[in-house]
């Protein structure tokens, strides 16, 4: 099996593309590399993602 990707394919380029297509100014990202993502998730602590999303949703829903 052979997969063909655009040589410019990256998470950053896809995020930029989606922001333009959806007319979104701000995004929230989760990752394990410090300083690269909005929220740092330590390996093995993936329940943190659920807790952070739930907390953000509750705050925005109540406003």
């Amino acid at each position: 099996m052979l997969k063909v990707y655009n040589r410019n394919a990256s998470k950053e380029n896809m995020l930029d593309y989606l922001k333009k297509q959806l007319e979104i100014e701000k995004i929230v990202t989760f990752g394990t590399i410090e300083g690269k993502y909005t929220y740092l998730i330590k390996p093995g602590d993936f329940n943190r993602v659920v807790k952070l999303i739930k907390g953000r949703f509750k705050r925005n829903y109540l406003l």
Side-chain angles (χ1 to χ4, degrees), residues 17-63:
Y17 172 79
L18 289 172
K19 283 170 59 175
K20 289 176 188 170
Q21 291 295 314
L22 300 172
E23 299 179 0
I24 296 172
E25 294 181 20
K26 186 176 179 182
I27 58 170
V28 175
T29 57
F30 302 89
T32 57
I33 301 171
E34 191 168 355
K36 188 171 182 178
Y37 299 99
T38 309
Y39 292 105
L40 178 65
I41 305 300
K42 295 179 183 176
D45 190 20
F46 294 103
N47 285 330
R48 179 168 156 76
V49 174
V50 174
K51 291 176 185 174
L52 288 167
I53 292 172
K54 186 176 178 181
R56 287 185 62 88
F57 178 76
K58 280 185 178 180
R59 280 196 303 271
N60 290 333
Y61 184 73
L62 295 174
L63 294 177

